[in-house]
Amino acid sequence: MALAVLLVLGSLAYLVWHSVTWLEPLVESLDGCPVERGTACFTSEPFRRWLYAPILAAVLAWGFASGAATEGRQGRARGYLHLLAGIAALVIAGLVSNL
């Protein structure tokens, strides 16, 4: 159970850090987007890197946290594998954002 809590708190900290770091460049990328393009701006590369990837990583981390909690409740010691997978999801999203 402690691994699940650790992973959820880590993913929330990652989302806060990511928001502080990448919110301004994301808004600046929208400033250069013409209004007539419509929703095309929301499927552009900056949105994939700075919005969708971190949200996907956080949802994956929460899913892995649920798996770690389930493993712990069932008395199995494999929850650390879920923890590692959740951390890997957050690290990969961080690397994608920094490209």
Side-chain angles (χ1 to χ4, degrees), residues 26-99:
L26 181 64
V27 171
E28 288 175 2
S29 74
L30 280 177
D31 288 341
C33 188
V35 176
E36 60 273 358
R37 283 190 59 200
T39 59
C41 293
F42 297 110
T43 58
S44 65
E45 182 66 25
F47 262 81
R48 280 187 238 129
R49 287 178 36 207
W50 296 330
L51 185 67
Y52 301 139
I55 289 174
L56 176 63
V59 169
L60 282 172
W62 296 335
F64 286 124
S66 174
T70 300
E71 292 288 334
R73 275 195 307 271
Q74 293 178 354
R76 293 187 286 226
R78 293 186 295 195
Y80 72 93
L81 294 174
H82 293 275
L83 177 69
L84 292 175
I87 291 171
L90 295 173
V91 167
I92 289 170
L95 291 173
V96 166
S97 296
N98 288 323
L99 291 176

